[in-house]
C-alpha cells in the first residue's frame, strides 16, 4: 500500500492547467513533457502515476502516456512492501517496454533514464547504456533538450559498468558538474554561467530563409543578418560587443560584405548592447521614433541581477539612430525590400517590426516576449500586444523570427489566432477581477485556460508561458499602491518581519530550520525559501539555514526551467549556480 502524500499548502496553477490541457484531444507532446517535468520538480510522483495511468488507458494510441506511467510507477517502488516490490517493478518495466516497442524515441529516453536509477544489483546498466546510446545516435527522434539528461544518465550507466573514462566524457557533454543525485534535473538547451550570462542555445548561425542568418545562442537575445546584393543589414546587436563580434566572425565565413545598416527592433539592453561591433564608418542605425523614452526607462531603472548584463553588471546604454521611423515605410537596401512598422508592442512602446515581403520573413523583436515587458521595468501593454497581433496576422508572414530562440520555435504564425483569442479572454477575466476588488492571488487562482486553445494544441505552451506575467502586468497597471487585501497600506522591512517570526518561534533558530525542512519535504520550495531568508535575517551565521536556502534555490531552478526562464536566471544567480552547455 502506498501512503498518501501530505496535503499541499499552495496551489501549483501551472501543474493544474497542464493536467487539464493534456486531456484535450491531440495534445502536443511538448505539453505532456512539460507536465511530466512539473510533476517531477514538485515531487508529485503518486499524483503523476495516477494521472498518466488514467491517460494511458484513455488514449492507448499515445505510447508516451504509457511510458510516463511506467516511469512514475518505478519511482514509487520504494513505497511498496519488499514482498510486492519485484512484481511492481516488473509491471512498470513492462509498460516501458511496450511503449518503446510502439514508438521508439521519447519512450526510449525515458526507459534509459529509469533503468539507470534502479539499484545496481538489478543489473540494468547494460540495457540502459543501449537505450541511451540509441538516443544520442538518433537526434531526430528525441528533442535536443533531452540530450543533457541522456548524457548524464549514460555517464551513470558507464560508471556502473566500470567504463570510467567514458563516464567522465559523457558527464562533460551533459553540462552537469557531477553525478550527485541531489542535483536538479534539467531538460533544456539553455545554459548559464555567472561570467557570460544566460543563453537559450549553443552558439550557432542559422539560415532560416535564403540569405537570412540568425545568430542564436551567442547572447541572451538573438540577432540577425540579411545579405543583400551589396551589403549586410543587421537586425539588433545583442548584449555585448564581444557576443556580437563572435556572431559576426561566424557570418564572415559566409560573406565579407560590409554592414551598411543596423535596424533596432527596440531599445532593450539585450538588443543594443553590442551595437558598436557592427558600426562601420558609413553604417546607418535605424530605430523607432520613440526609442529615446524606452532607453530612458532602461537606464533609469535599477536592476540587481548581474546575469542579465554580464560580469560588469548594469550599465548605461547608448543608441544614436541615424534614421527614425514614425510611420510604416518601405526601404530598398541593396536590392532587398524592407518594410518597417512602428508599433506599441506588447513589451515596449518603441517596437519596430521588420518585414521582408519577398521571403515572407517578419522580424518581431520582443513584441511577443512572454513577460509583457521585462518584469523589473515599468513597461508592457496588453493593448499594445493585441494591436501588434492584429498587424502580424494582416501581414500574414511565412515565418516569424523573434528576439529569442524559444520564441521563434514556439510562437509561430500558425498559433496566433488561437493565442490572440485566448489572451483576450484572459484580459477580460483580469479586468473583471480588478473591478470586483479581487487580489492578485485571487485573480491568478482563476487559472484561466480558454477552451479556444483546444483548436490549436501548439498554442497551449505559448499561452502558459505568457499567462502569469500577463496577469501580473495588467493587474499592477490597473490597481493602486493600496491593494484590496491591504498590501501597501503599511510596509515592513524584511528585518521587521524576521523579528516578528523570531518572536513567534520563541527566539529559537531550530524552529526556522525544522519548519523549512518540513516545507521542503512537502516540496513547498518557494515558501521554504521565503522562510529561510527571513530566518537568516535573525540568524545570519546559521549553516543549517544556508544549506536549506541552497536546496530550495536548486529546486526552484528545476521547477521554472521550462515555463519561466527569468525566474530560472534569478534563482540561479542567487544560488551562484551555473549550467554549462550540453553538446
Amino acid at each position: 500500500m502506498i501512503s498518501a502524500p501530505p496535503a499541499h499548502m499552495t496551489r501549483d496553477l501551472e501543474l493544474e492547467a497542464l493536467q487539464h490541457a493534456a486531456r484535450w484531444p491531440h495534445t502536443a507532446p511538448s505539453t505532456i513533457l512539460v507536465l511530466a517535468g512539473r510533476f517531477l520538480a514538485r515531487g508529485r510522483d503518486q499524483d503523476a502515476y495516477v494521472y498518466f495511468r488514467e491517460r494511458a488507458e484513455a488514449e492507448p494510441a499515445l505510447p508516451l502516456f504509457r511510458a510516463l506511467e511506467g516511469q512514475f510507477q518505478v519511482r514509487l517502488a520504494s513505497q511498496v512492501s519488499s514482498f510486492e516490490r519485484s512484481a511492481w517493478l516488473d509491471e512498470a518495466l513492462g509498460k516501458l517496454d511496450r511503449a518503446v516497442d510502439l514508438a521508439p524515441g521519447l519512450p526510449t529516453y525515458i526507459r534509459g533514464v529509469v533503468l539507470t536509477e534502479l539499484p545496481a544489483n538489478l543489473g540494468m546498466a547494460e540495457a540502459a547504456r543501449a537505450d541511451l546510446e540509441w538516443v544520442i545516435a538518433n537526434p531526430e527522434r528525441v528533442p535536443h533538450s533531452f540530450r543533457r539528461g541522456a548524457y548524464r544518465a549514460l555517464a551513470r550507466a558507464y560508471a556502473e559498468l566500470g567504463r570510467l573514462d567514458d563516464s567522465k566524457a559523457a558527464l562533460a557533454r551533459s553540462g552537469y558538474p557531477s553525478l550527485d543525485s541531489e542535483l536538479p534535473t534539467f531538460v533544456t538547451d539553455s545554459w548559464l554561467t555567472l561570467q557570460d550570462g544566460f543563453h537559450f542555445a549553443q552558439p550557432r548561425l542559422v539560415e532560416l530563409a535564403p540569405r537570412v542568418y540568425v545568430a542564436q545562442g551567442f547572447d541572451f537575445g538573438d540577432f540577425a543578418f540579411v545579405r543583400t546584393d551589396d551589403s549586410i543589414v543587421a537586425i539588433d546587436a545583442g548584449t555585448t560587443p564581444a557576443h556580437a563580434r563572435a556572431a559576426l566572425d561566424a557570418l564572415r565565413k559566409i560573406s565579407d560584405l560590409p554592414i551598411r545598416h543596423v535596424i533596432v527592433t527596440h531599445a532593450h539592453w539585450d538588443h543594443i548592447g553590442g551595437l558598436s561591433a557592427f558600426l562601420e564608418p558609413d553604417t546607418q542605425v535605424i530605430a523607432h521614433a520613440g526609442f529615446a523614452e524606452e532607453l530612458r526607462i532602461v537606464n533609469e531603472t535599477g536592476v540587481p541581477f548581474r546575469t542579465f548584463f554580464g560580469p560588469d553588471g548594469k550599465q548605461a546604454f547608448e543608441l544614436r539612430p541615424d534614421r527614425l521611423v514614425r510611420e510604416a515605410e518601405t526601404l530598398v537596401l541593396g536590392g532587398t525590400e524592407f518594410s518597417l512598422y512602428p508599433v506599441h508592442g506588447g513589451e515596449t512602446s518603441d517596437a519596430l517590426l521588420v518585414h521582408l515581403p519577398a521571403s515572407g520573413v517578419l522580424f518581431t523583436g520582443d513584441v511577443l516576449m512572454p513577460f509583457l515587458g521585462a518584469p523589473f521595468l515599468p513597461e508592457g501593454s496588453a493593448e499594445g500586444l493585441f494591436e501588434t497581433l492584429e498587424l502580424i496576422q494582416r501581414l500574414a508572414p511565412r515565418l516569424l523570427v523573434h528576439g529569442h530562440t524559444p520564441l521563434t520555435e514556439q510562437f509561430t504564425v500558425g498559433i496566433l489566432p488561437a493565442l490572440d483569442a485566448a489572451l483576450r479572454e484572459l484580459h477580460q477575466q483580469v479586468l473583471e477581477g480588478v473591478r470586483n476588488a479581487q487580489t492578485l492571488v485571487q485573480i491568478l487562482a482563476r487559472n484561466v485556460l480558454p477552451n479556444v486553445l483546444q483548436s490549436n494544441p501548439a498554442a497551449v505552451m505559448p499561452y502558459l508561458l505568457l499567462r502569469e506575467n500577463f496577469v501580473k502586468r495588467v493587474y499592477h497597471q490597473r490597481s493602486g499602491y493600496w491593494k484590496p487585501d491591504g498590501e501597501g497600506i503599511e510596509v515592513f522591512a524584511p528585518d521587521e518581519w524576521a523579528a516578528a517570526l523570531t518572536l513567534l518561534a520563541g527566539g529559537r533558530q531550530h524552529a526556522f530550520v525544522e519548519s523549512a525542512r518540513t516545507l521542503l519535504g512537502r516540496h513547498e520550495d518557494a515558501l521554504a525559501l521565503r522562510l529561510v531568508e527571513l530566518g537568516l535575517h535573525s540568524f545570519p551565521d546559521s549553516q543549517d539555514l544556508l544549506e536549506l536556502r541552497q536546496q530550495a534555490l536548486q529546486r526552484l531552478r528545476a521547477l521554472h526551467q521550462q515555463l519561466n526562464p527569468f525566474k530560472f536566471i534569478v534563482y540561479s544567480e542567487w544560488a551562484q549556480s551555473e549550467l554549462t552547455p550540453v553538446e
Side-chain angles (χ1 to χ4, degrees), residues 204-486:
R204 61 200 182 207
L205 191 66
V206 184
E207 188 174 11
L208 293 184
R211 305 206 299 183
V212 175
Y213 305 92
V214 179
Q216 298 178 336
F218 288 91
D219 199 278
F220 179 62
D222 293 352
F223 40 98
F225 304 102
V226 180
R227 181 161 54 91
T228 73
D229 292 341
D230 61 7
S231 65
I232 298 294
V233 177
I235 299 174
D236 288 339
T239 304
T240 69
H243 291 163
R245 280 193 294 271
L248 185 57
D249 288 343
L251 177 70
R252 289 306 180 214
K253 298 175 182 177
I254 300 168
S255 172
D256 59 0
L257 290 172
I259 297 178
R260 295 263 172 81
H261 298 85
V262 181
I263 304 174
V264 175
T265 62
H266 61 297
H268 270 183
W269 63 92
D270 55 323
H271 296 260
I272 66 170
L275 191 60
S276 62
F278 295 160
L279 298 183
E280 301 179 12
D282 59 348
T283 303
Q284 279 198 343
V285 178
I286 302 171
H288 188 297
F291 87 93
E293 175 60 17
E294 178 61 33
L295 191 60
R296 181 191 65 78
I297 292 173
V298 170
N299 284 333
E300 290 183 358
T301 304
V303 181
F305 307 119
R306 191 186 76 180
T307 43
F308 286 109
F309 301 99
D312 298 327
K314 189 177 184 297
Q315 56 186 293
F317 293 90
E318 294 185 358
L319 174 62
R320 296 188 178 89
D322 302 286
R323 184 185 186 110
L324 297 177
V325 180
R326 289 184 167 82
E327 57 186 23
E329 63 176 275
T330 296
L331 305 177
V332 178
L333 306 174
T336 299
E337 186 176 313
F338 292 77
S339 296
L340 308 179
Y341 297 90
V343 294
H344 189 151
E347 184 176 55
T348 68
S349 60
D350 70 327
L352 187 62
L353 304 183
V354 183
H355 189 211
L356 306 182
S359 60
V361 176
L362 180 65
F363 295 93
T364 64
D366 284 354
V367 296
L368 276 165
M369 186 70 170
F371 295 88
L372 204 63
F376 34 71
L377 294 180
E379 59 185 14
S381 162
E383 294 76 13
L385 175 60
F386 295 142
E387 172 191 322
T388 305
L389 284 171
E390 289 179 0
L391 173 59
I392 293 173
Q393 291 176 83
R394 286 200 305 271
L395 292 173
R398 179 186 62 82
L399 173 68
L400 299 181
V401 178
H402 300 271
H404 301 272
T405 305
L407 304 187
T408 297
E409 294 171 348
Q410 296 192 46
F411 285 72
T412 60
V413 175
I415 72 163
L416 294 189
L419 181 64
D420 189 0
L423 290 174
R424 289 178 187 273
E425 181 176 333
L426 177 63
H427 189 234
Q428 290 304 312
Q429 292 262 1
V430 178
L431 296 184
E432 177 186 307
V434 172
R435 285 194 299 270
N436 291 330
Q438 288 190 320
T439 65
L440 176 59
V441 169
Q442 289 171 324
I443 295 173
L444 287 168
R446 292 185 175 201
N447 212 3
V448 180
L449 189 68
N451 284 328
V452 68
L453 293 169
Q454 292 192 58
S455 66
N456 194 326
V460 171
M461 287 308 303
Y463 170 79
L464 289 177
L465 284 165
L466 268 159
R467 186 179 67 168
E468 177 185 327
N469 312 297
F470 184 101
V471 171
K472 288 178 176 178
R473 181 68 71 188
V474 174
Y475 177 82
H476 287 300
Q477 289 176 338
R478 297 299 182 103
S479 58
Y481 52 85
W482 284 11
K483 304 298 183 184
D485 60 354

Side-chain angles (χ1 to χ4, degrees), residues 34-345:
V34 172
L35 170 59
R38 196 85 183 182
F39 273 128
L40 284 168
R42 293 303 304 264
R44 304 274 287 270
D45 292 345
Q46 185 173 341
D47 292 342
Y49 169 60
V50 172
Y51 179 88
F52 288 119
R53 181 178 61 186
E54 179 265 315
R55 297 313 305 142
E57 293 299 322
E59 297 195 51
L62 281 180
L64 182 57
F65 282 135
R66 187 68 72 189
L68 290 167
E69 177 195 357
Q71 177 185 21
F72 284 100
Q73 185 171 348
V74 169
R75 291 177 62 84
L76 290 170
S78 62
Q79 299 184 39
V80 177
S81 70
S82 57
F83 178 75
E84 300 174 313
R85 191 170 302 152
S86 178
W88 179 271
L89 283 173
D90 285 345
E91 181 183 51
L93 294 176
K95 293 171 183 176
L96 284 161
D97 291 343
R98 291 195 295 277
V100 172
D101 290 343
L102 288 170
L106 280 167
T108 312
Y109 165 82
I110 293 169
R111 185 176 68 179
V113 171
V114 167
L115 292 177
T116 66
E117 295 172 349
L118 292 173
N121 64 345
L122 294 181
M124 295 295 185
E126 179 59 32
R129 178 206 60 78
D131 276 350
L132 296 164
E133 287 184 350
W134 183 92
V135 168
I136 299 299
N138 292 272
E140 74 284 355
R141 306 292 292 274
V142 180
H144 189 274
S145 58
F146 286 85
R147 293 175 74 83
R148 187 184 295 280
Y151 275 124
R152 184 193 190 197
L154 189 57
R156 187 180 293 116
Y158 283 147
E160 193 170 317
L161 293 169
R163 297 170 54 176
L164 300 185
D165 288 343
D166 290 337
S167 176
K168 183 178 179 180
L171 182 63
R173 292 188 180 99
S174 76
Y176 278 90
S178 74
L179 291 177
D180 182 358
S181 61
E182 295 300 315
L183 290 173
T185 298
F186 293 111
V187 185
T188 176
D189 287 334
S190 301
W191 55 283
L192 176 149
T193 67
L194 301 177
Q195 178 66 26
D196 204 46
F198 181 87
H199 302 250
F200 283 103
Q202 281 199 349
R204 61 200 182 207
L205 191 66
V206 184
E207 188 174 11
L208 293 184
R211 305 206 299 183
V212 175
Y213 305 92
V214 179
Q216 298 178 336
F218 288 91
D219 199 278
F220 179 62
D222 293 352
F223 40 98
F225 304 102
V226 180
R227 181 161 54 91
T228 73
D229 292 341
D230 61 7
S231 65
I232 298 294
V233 177
I235 299 174
D236 288 339
T239 304
T240 69
H243 291 163
R245 280 193 294 271
L248 185 57
D249 288 343
L251 177 70
R252 289 306 180 214
K253 298 175 182 177
I254 300 168
S255 172
D256 59 0
L257 290 172
I259 297 178
R260 295 263 172 81
H261 298 85
V262 181
I263 304 174
V264 175
T265 62
H266 61 297
H268 270 183
W269 63 92
D270 55 323
H271 296 260
I272 66 170
L275 191 60
S276 62
F278 295 160
L279 298 183
E280 301 179 12
D282 59 348
T283 303
Q284 279 198 343
V285 178
I286 302 171
H288 188 297
F291 87 93
E293 175 60 17
E294 178 61 33
L295 191 60
R296 181 191 65 78
I297 292 173
V298 170
N299 284 333
E300 290 183 358
T301 304
V303 181
F305 307 119
R306 191 186 76 180
T307 43
F308 286 109
F309 301 99
D312 298 327
K314 189 177 184 297
Q315 56 186 293
F317 293 90
E318 294 185 358
L319 174 62
R320 296 188 178 89
D322 302 286
R323 184 185 186 110
L324 297 177
V325 180
R326 289 184 167 82
E327 57 186 23
E329 63 176 275
T330 296
L331 305 177
V332 178
L333 306 174
T336 299
E337 186 176 313
F338 292 77
S339 296
L340 308 179
Y341 297 90
V343 294
H344 189 151

